[in-house]
Amino acid sequence: MIKEFKEFIMRGNVLDLAVGVVVGSAFTAIVTGVVDGLITPFIGMVVGLLTGGGNLDSALSVLDVSVAGSTFQFGAVIGAIITFLITGFVLFLIVKAANGARARAEQMAAAALNKEPEEAGEEEPALTAEDYLREIRDLLAKSQEAAQKQE
């Protein structure tokens, strides 16, 4: 059982997943820093100017409701939703940019492979296995003829 577990862990997919989780955690820290340090304060400033509050938390705290000594913080929920939407949008932009870069790289690679000059503007038809076998047969026949002439 330990041997099977070791084989499972050493598979490429599991290692790739582990690396992805670690990189994803680091990336989450970066996105959280950008959202908490730049985007959320900006939105808080705008909301604060519109509502008269100093920041996003104080502006949204007007939505808090107290009933029988319990405070329902609707403002905190709305703040969390706003942060989630901002984080999702930033991740969308990053993934979109990465996919665009990957597509451009694939197009450039395909263009580099297809730069061979075409003769008379026509493409050669793809060779089949039968075509290769005919070429081999013809080459063998020529080499046998040459060998017979030399004898």
Side-chain angles (χ1 to χ4, degrees):
M1 182 180 272
I2 292 175
K3 181 180 176 185
E4 291 174 346
F5 179 72
K6 192 184 287 186
E7 289 174 7
F8 171 75
I9 291 298
M10 296 309 291
R11 283 188 193 154
N13 293 341
V14 174
L15 293 176
D16 291 343
L17 178 63
V19 169
V21 168
V22 171
V23 170
S25 298
F27 185 72
T28 300
I30 292 170
V31 171
T32 301
V34 169
V35 168
D36 290 345
L38 299 175
I39 298 172
T40 302
F42 177 74
I43 291 175
M45 180 183 71
V46 171
V47 170
L49 291 173
L50 296 175
T51 62
N55 60 21
L56 186 62
D57 291 332
S58 64
L60 293 176
S61 66
V62 286
L63 299 174
D64 294 350
V65 176
S66 292
V67 175
S70 297
T71 303
F72 297 95
Q73 298 179 339
F74 292 108
V77 173
I78 292 173
I81 291 171
I82 289 172
T83 302
F84 170 76
L85 292 174
I86 291 169
T87 304
F89 184 70
V90 169
L91 286 173
F92 166 75
L93 292 177
I94 291 170
V95 169
K96 184 176 179 179
N99 288 340
R102 181 182 304 137
R104 282 191 296 279
E106 288 174 359
Q107 288 174 349
M108 290 174 61
L113 291 175
N114 293 330
K115 277 194 170 182
E116 298 174 8
E118 296 178 5
E119 295 179 12
E122 297 178 12
E123 292 185 23
E124 286 187 27
L127 295 176
T128 62
E130 289 82 14
D131 295 329
Y132 287 118
L133 290 172
R134 282 188 201 100
E135 278 187 44
I136 293 170
R137 179 195 63 202
D138 295 343
L139 289 172
L140 286 172
K142 285 181 185 178
S143 68
Q144 286 177 352
E145 289 176 8
Q148 287 175 355
K149 287 181 184 178
Q150 288 180 353
E151 291 179 0

